[in-house]
């Protein structure tokens, strides 16, 4: 979970990314090996933060779409 007002964070990507990266680092320090980061602007933030995160970041909508595409191709 991020700290700060979510309405303020959602309006400023720099602040949002900083707050998310801090939360990701805390979760990783506590033992998380992957983080699911999704929902509206959070999916975009996951893409921006992938290279800075100390663990895997998963954006659920693109991940689900890729998995569905793979499943459909294997059915053909």
């Amino acid at each position: 979970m991020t700290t700060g007002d979510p309405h303020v964070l959602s309006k400023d990507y720099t602040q949002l990314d900083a707050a998310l990266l801090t939360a990701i680092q805390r979760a990783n320090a506590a033992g998380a090996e992957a983080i699911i980061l999704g929902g509206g602007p959070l999916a975009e933030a996951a893409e921006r933060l992938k290279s800075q995160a100390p663990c895997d970041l998963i954006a659920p909508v693109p991940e689900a779409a890729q998995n569905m595409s793979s499943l459909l191709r294997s059915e053909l």
Side-chain angles (χ1 to χ4, degrees):
M1 302 298 277
T2 58
T3 57
D5 182 340
H7 294 99
V8 172
L9 293 176
S10 68
K11 292 178 184 175
D12 183 339
Y13 290 130
T14 302
Q15 287 186 30
L16 176 63
D17 288 0
L20 286 169
L21 189 56
T22 298
I24 290 164
Q25 291 167 335
R26 279 196 320 263
N28 180 251
E33 296 177 11
I35 308 276
I36 298 172
L37 197 60
L42 298 184
E44 294 172 5
E47 290 301 316
R48 290 192 302 269
L49 295 172
K50 275 187 176 183
S51 66
Q52 301 172 57
C55 57
D56 290 333
L57 289 184
I58 300 167
V61 173
E63 188 72 24
Q66 288 174 359
N67 286 340
M68 183 58 72
S69 178
S70 293
L71 287 171
L72 291 171
R73 280 195 300 272
S74 70
E75 293 289 322
L76 298 175

